[in-house]
Structures are given as C-alpha cells and as structure tokens.
Amino acid sequence: MHNISKNNEKPEYGWFVKDLIVAFSIIGFIGIIFVSLGIFLTDLLQLFFIFAGIFIIVLFLWPGLGMAVMNIILDWKDDDITDSFDEMKRLEIPIILDIGCGTGRTAMKIVKALENGGHLYGIDIYNKMAISGNDLERVRKNAQLEGVAEKTTFQYGTATEIPFEDESFDIVNVSSVLHEIHDREDQKKAIKEIYRVLKPSGTVYIGEWNSRSAQLIGYMGIFCFVFKPSKYWEYLLKESNLTLMNVEEKGGFVLFTAQK
Ligand SMILES: C[S@@+](CC[C@H](N)C(=O)[O-])C[C@H]1O[C@@H](n2cnc3c(N)ncnc32)[C@H](O)[C@@H]1O
C-alpha cells in the first residue's frame, strides 16, 4: 500500500482529531462509572447517576470511540479519492494545488495518480488539533518516503489568502478542510481565492463530510453538527463563479467537482 524506505521507515499520516478522541473517551468512561455506581444506589440517587451516566456516554463516549473507529476504517479501506479525478487524469502535466494538505494523506494519492508528470503544491496552516503530528517537516518526510519528493512542494499558507499568483493551477483539491473554516464569509473568501488561482477551465475538487449521512452520525453521534449537510456546500458553490459539474457521495464523504 505505502512505499517503505530502505530502513523500513513508513510514512505517517496521523489520526484525525486524536487529542479530541482521547479527551472525549476519558470523559465518556466517567459515564460508565456513573451508570455502574447507579446500579448499586437506590431511589433518586440511582436515577440521577444512571441518567447522568447515559447522558455523558451519548455525549462523549459515542463520538470519542466513533471517531477512533472512523480513523481505523479510513486507514484500513484506504479509499483512493483520485478514482473520480477524471479532469486531472485528462491533463498531460497538471500543476496542482492541495489546500489544507496536512500530513499529505490525499496529496500523495494525487501525485501517485499522475502518469505523465506534473507537480503538486501543498499549503496548510498546520492546525495541530486537526491531525496528530501535523507539520511541514512531517509532510515533506512523507513525500520522501513515498518517493514523490521531487514532484511536490509544501509550504505554509491559508485557504483565505492563497500565496500564489492568479491563474497558476490546472487543478485545486480541498479535501476535508472547508468545514474547519467556521465563518461563512471566510468560506466564500476561500472559494473566491480558489477561483482566482485556477487557470481558465481549471477544475476544483472539494471533499466534505455530509452531516446528514448515516455513516457520519454513526461515527460522531450528536457531534455530526460540526459538519454541514451536503446541500450547504452545493449552494455555496452555486453562489460562486464556479460551475458545479458533479456531486458524488461515498460512505458519507461527498466529492464536488466544479470548473472555472
Ligand atoms: C481534516 S485535515 C485534512 C488533511 C488533508 N486534506 C487530508 O485529506 O488528509 C484538515 C486540514 O486543513 C487544515 N486547515 C484548516 N484550516 C485551514 C485554512 N484556513 N487554510 C489551510 N489549511 C487549513 C488543517 O491544518 C488540517 O491539516
């Protein structure tokens, strides 16, 4: 699956929101203690401990363990999002921008899908809460270990102020990033920036979790509200100057393809 270097060092892509998973799981286990205590108590005290325990379990243990399972399934399935990158595969030597590349989980798949050449630039603000081990050194190291270092350039940069000239890229990819920009006006700003850096007829792939999908509710419990329904992103794209070409959902993850 992943390339392994001579000294057997493997790329490390980290777990999404690992610190939150640990915190939620620890708090969630307090819920189990409450329910267990409640069983040995009587009357009002019993009711209080059991209901409080169930409340804590639903609120914290479910999303904590659910997000851990989600990470395990994502690693195990290792779905290749580039299966749907038809426009990119049609180009001879595409110049690509991956916004919010993180440790490079998706970026490396994109580079490996390039048959004739091309180059991927990755930018990120490197939010440590988003992925464990999220930093510039890690993504550069992963590119070396995957054998694609010469086809990639990674640097700091934010989606709302992309540090590249107008019309620089054939393809822009933004995978599981826009939901981390909380303000709607900033989300619009990011989409405007994508439009600016795309070449005429360039393509953008936007991947987001659908808060209405059964898979996401299963993983996150009531915390699925952190994400938005698929329609939200569809409306935002329709409001922009980009033309929405395709919407494809797989396991709760939605891929929007739009063109300049
Ligand atoms: C859930 S991770 C996804 C990482 C990567 N795209 C992937 O598919 O593995 C979200 C990433 O978006 C980054 N991010 C959040 N807000 C950003 C912004 N305004 N500009 C650039 N990157 C951002 C975070 O630092 C994090 O690395």
Side-chain angles (χ1 to χ4, degrees), residues 16 99-102 105-106 124-127 130-131 134 157-159 175-177 180-181:
F16 293 124
I99 300 174
C101 56
R105 192 186 293 262
T106 307
D124 203 295
I125 55 167
Y126 286 103
N127 172 7
I131 316 174
N134 199 14
T158 174
S175 191
S176 198
V177 176
E180 290 195 19
I181 301 171

Short mmCIF file of all heavy atoms in Angstrom, two decimals, residues 16 99-102 105-106 124-127 130-131 134 157-159 175-177 180-181, ligand 1:
data_model
loop_
_atom_site.label_atom_id
_atom_site.label_comp_id
_atom_site.label_asym_id
_atom_site.label_seq_id
_atom_site.Cartn_x
_atom_site.Cartn_y
_atom_site.Cartn_z
N PHE A 16 -6.88 11.69 12.56
CA PHE A 16 -7.67 12.92 12.62
C PHE A 16 -8.14 13.13 14.05
O PHE A 16 -8.55 12.17 14.72
CB PHE A 16 -8.88 12.83 11.66
CG PHE A 16 -8.48 12.79 10.21
CD1 PHE A 16 -8.88 11.75 9.39
CD2 PHE A 16 -7.70 13.79 9.66
CE1 PHE A 16 -8.52 11.72 8.04
CE2 PHE A 16 -7.33 13.77 8.32
CZ PHE A 16 -7.73 12.73 7.52
N ILE A 99 -5.02 22.35 -1.03
CA ILE A 99 -5.21 23.30 0.08
C ILE A 99 -5.55 22.51 1.34
O ILE A 99 -6.43 21.65 1.32
CB ILE A 99 -6.36 24.28 -0.24
CG1 ILE A 99 -6.03 25.06 -1.52
CG2 ILE A 99 -6.60 25.22 0.93
CD1 ILE A 99 -7.16 25.95 -2.00
N GLY A 100 -4.84 22.78 2.44
CA GLY A 100 -5.05 22.04 3.69
C GLY A 100 -4.53 20.62 3.55
O GLY A 100 -5.19 19.66 3.93
N CYS A 101 -3.32 20.51 3.01
CA CYS A 101 -2.75 19.18 2.69
C CYS A 101 -2.43 18.37 3.95
O CYS A 101 -2.36 17.14 3.90
CB CYS A 101 -1.49 19.34 1.85
SG CYS A 101 -0.26 20.39 2.64
N GLY A 102 -2.22 19.04 5.09
CA GLY A 102 -1.90 18.33 6.34
C GLY A 102 -0.67 17.46 6.18
O GLY A 102 0.36 17.89 5.62
N ARG A 105 -1.96 12.84 3.34
CA ARG A 105 -2.71 11.61 3.07
C ARG A 105 -3.33 11.63 1.65
O ARG A 105 -3.18 10.67 0.90
CB ARG A 105 -3.83 11.47 4.11
CG ARG A 105 -4.50 10.12 4.14
CD ARG A 105 -5.66 10.17 5.12
NE ARG A 105 -5.24 10.34 6.49
CZ ARG A 105 -5.12 9.34 7.37
NH1 ARG A 105 -5.40 8.12 7.02
NH2 ARG A 105 -4.73 9.57 8.61
N THR A 106 -4.01 12.72 1.31
CA THR A 106 -4.64 12.80 -0.02
C THR A 106 -3.63 13.28 -1.06
O THR A 106 -3.63 12.78 -2.20
CB THR A 106 -5.85 13.78 0.03
OG1 THR A 106 -6.71 13.37 1.08
CG2 THR A 106 -6.62 13.77 -1.27
N ASP A 124 -0.89 24.65 3.98
CA ASP A 124 -1.66 24.33 5.19
C ASP A 124 -1.29 25.33 6.27
O ASP A 124 -0.19 25.90 6.26
CB ASP A 124 -1.34 22.91 5.67
CG ASP A 124 -2.46 22.31 6.52
OD1 ASP A 124 -2.73 22.84 7.62
OD2 ASP A 124 -3.06 21.33 6.08
N ILE A 125 -2.22 25.53 7.22
CA ILE A 125 -1.91 26.38 8.38
C ILE A 125 -1.37 25.50 9.52
O ILE A 125 -1.00 25.97 10.56
CB ILE A 125 -3.14 27.19 8.85
CG1 ILE A 125 -4.32 26.25 9.15
CG2 ILE A 125 -3.52 28.25 7.85
CD1 ILE A 125 -5.47 26.90 9.90
N TYR A 126 -1.36 24.19 9.32
CA TYR A 126 -0.85 23.19 10.27
C TYR A 126 -1.46 23.30 11.67
O TYR A 126 -0.76 23.44 12.67
CB TYR A 126 0.70 23.18 10.27
CG TYR A 126 1.14 22.52 8.99
CD1 TYR A 126 1.61 23.27 7.93
CD2 TYR A 126 0.98 21.16 8.83
CE1 TYR A 126 1.91 22.66 6.72
CE2 TYR A 126 1.27 20.54 7.63
CZ TYR A 126 1.74 21.29 6.58
OH TYR A 126 2.02 20.68 5.40
N ASN A 127 -2.76 23.19 11.69
CA ASN A 127 -3.51 23.12 12.96
C ASN A 127 -3.21 21.76 13.62
O ASN A 127 -3.53 20.71 13.06
CB ASN A 127 -5.00 23.28 12.64
CG ASN A 127 -5.90 23.03 13.84
OD1 ASN A 127 -5.43 22.86 14.96
ND2 ASN A 127 -7.19 23.01 13.59
N ALA A 130 -6.10 19.20 14.31
CA ALA A 130 -6.78 18.54 13.19
C ALA A 130 -6.25 17.12 12.95
O ALA A 130 -7.01 16.19 12.71
CB ALA A 130 -6.64 19.37 11.92
N ILE A 131 -4.92 16.96 13.00
CA ILE A 131 -4.30 15.64 12.75
C ILE A 131 -3.11 15.51 13.69
O ILE A 131 -2.36 16.48 13.87
CB ILE A 131 -3.74 15.52 11.30
CG1 ILE A 131 -4.71 16.07 10.26
CG2 ILE A 131 -3.37 14.09 10.98
CD1 ILE A 131 -4.14 16.11 8.85
N ASN A 134 0.77 16.84 12.82
CA ASN A 134 0.54 17.71 11.64
C ASN A 134 1.60 18.81 11.58
O ASN A 134 1.53 19.78 12.33
CB ASN A 134 -0.86 18.34 11.77
CG ASN A 134 -1.39 18.88 10.47
OD1 ASN A 134 -0.85 18.57 9.40
ND2 ASN A 134 -2.45 19.67 10.54
N GLY A 157 0.44 28.23 4.35
CA GLY A 157 -0.45 29.10 3.58
C GLY A 157 -1.88 28.83 3.97
O GLY A 157 -2.24 27.72 4.35
N THR A 158 -2.71 29.87 3.86
CA THR A 158 -4.10 29.71 4.24
C THR A 158 -5.04 29.79 3.04
O THR A 158 -4.76 30.49 2.06
CB THR A 158 -4.52 30.75 5.31
OG1 THR A 158 -5.93 30.63 5.53
CG2 THR A 158 -4.23 32.18 4.87
N ALA A 159 -6.16 29.07 3.14
CA ALA A 159 -7.14 29.00 2.06
C ALA A 159 -7.73 30.37 1.74
O ALA A 159 -8.12 30.63 0.61
CB ALA A 159 -8.25 28.03 2.46
N SER A 175 -9.57 18.83 0.43
CA SER A 175 -10.20 17.64 0.96
C SER A 175 -10.37 17.72 2.47
O SER A 175 -9.37 17.75 3.21
CB SER A 175 -9.33 16.42 0.58
OG SER A 175 -10.02 15.26 0.86
N SER A 176 -11.62 17.77 2.93
CA SER A 176 -11.94 17.79 4.35
C SER A 176 -11.31 18.98 5.07
O SER A 176 -10.73 18.84 6.14
CB SER A 176 -11.48 16.47 4.98
OG SER A 176 -12.11 16.26 6.20
N VAL A 177 -11.42 20.16 4.46
CA VAL A 177 -10.78 21.37 5.00
C VAL A 177 -11.79 22.50 5.22
O VAL A 177 -11.77 23.16 6.27
CB VAL A 177 -9.67 21.86 4.04
CG1 VAL A 177 -9.04 23.16 4.53
CG2 VAL A 177 -8.59 20.80 3.83
N GLU A 180 -13.43 23.35 8.44
CA GLU A 180 -12.59 23.90 9.52
C GLU A 180 -12.53 25.43 9.47
O GLU A 180 -12.01 26.06 10.37
CB GLU A 180 -11.18 23.30 9.46
CG GLU A 180 -11.19 21.84 9.84
CD GLU A 180 -9.81 21.27 10.15
OE1 GLU A 180 -8.87 22.03 10.42
OE2 GLU A 180 -9.71 20.03 10.12
N ILE A 181 -13.04 25.99 8.37
CA ILE A 181 -13.16 27.46 8.28
C ILE A 181 -14.59 27.76 8.73
O ILE A 181 -15.54 27.45 8.02
CB ILE A 181 -12.92 27.92 6.82
CG1 ILE A 181 -11.53 27.49 6.36
CG2 ILE A 181 -13.11 29.42 6.69
CD1 ILE A 181 -11.28 27.72 4.88
C1 LIG B 1 -9.03 17.05 8.35
S1 LIG B 1 -7.48 17.65 7.84
C2 LIG B 1 -7.41 17.11 6.15
C3 LIG B 1 -5.98 16.97 5.67
C4 LIG B 1 -5.81 16.52 4.22
N1 LIG B 1 -6.51 17.37 3.29
C5 LIG B 1 -6.22 15.08 4.03
O1 LIG B 1 -7.06 14.80 3.17
O2 LIG B 1 -5.68 14.24 4.76
C6 LIG B 1 -7.77 19.39 7.68
C7 LIG B 1 -6.51 20.19 7.37
O3 LIG B 1 -6.91 21.51 6.98
C8 LIG B 1 -6.00 22.43 7.55
N2 LIG B 1 -6.64 23.76 7.55
C9 LIG B 1 -7.65 24.18 8.37
N3 LIG B 1 -7.98 25.43 8.06
C10 LIG B 1 -7.19 25.82 7.03
C11 LIG B 1 -7.04 27.02 6.27
N4 LIG B 1 -7.78 28.10 6.52
N5 LIG B 1 -6.10 27.07 5.29
C12 LIG B 1 -5.31 25.98 5.04
N6 LIG B 1 -5.40 24.82 5.72
C13 LIG B 1 -6.33 24.74 6.71
C14 LIG B 1 -5.67 21.84 8.90
O4 LIG B 1 -4.47 22.36 9.42
C15 LIG B 1 -5.56 20.35 8.55
O5 LIG B 1 -4.27 19.99 8.19
#
